[in-house]
Amino acid sequence: MAMMTKEQIKALLDAGLPGAVIEVKGDDGQHFEADVSWSGFAGLSMVKQHQAVYAALGDKMGREIHALALKTRAA
């Protein structure tokens, strides 16, 4: 199974959430933390915000990325 890097995750999130301010941490290739501030989250519940992040990551979530701790907020 391929390993992900925090840089690859950030690139996926940058592409899926244009204009977001994103910080990704994690160095073991499987467990990561992402802090995402994005204007697109305005008016969305925390669940909907997290679903938007998962959508940006596509099928990488649950495969290459085993765990992702999220902090999200509207910019």
Side-chain angles (χ1 to χ4, degrees):
M1 184 175 297
M3 300 283 263
M4 293 290 292
T5 66
K6 58 189 173 188
E7 293 81 12
Q8 289 171 312
I9 292 171
K10 184 174 184 318
L12 287 169
L13 294 176
D14 282 336
L17 307 170
V21 176
I22 302 163
E23 181 182 8
V24 179
K25 297 177 185 175
D27 293 317
D28 71 357
Q30 295 182 340
H31 303 89
F32 300 92
E33 295 176 36
D35 188 316
V36 184
S37 176
W38 185 47
S39 60
F41 290 151
L44 297 181
S45 69
M46 194 65 62
V47 169
K48 294 290 186 189
Q49 292 177 23
H50 288 197
Q51 287 173 339
V53 171
Y54 296 145
L57 295 172
D59 65 359
K60 304 290 186 203
M61 196 66 225
R63 292 183 187 197
E64 288 92 341
I65 303 166
H66 291 272
L68 179 66
L70 286 176
K71 290 184 193 173
T72 59
R73 66 195 163 283

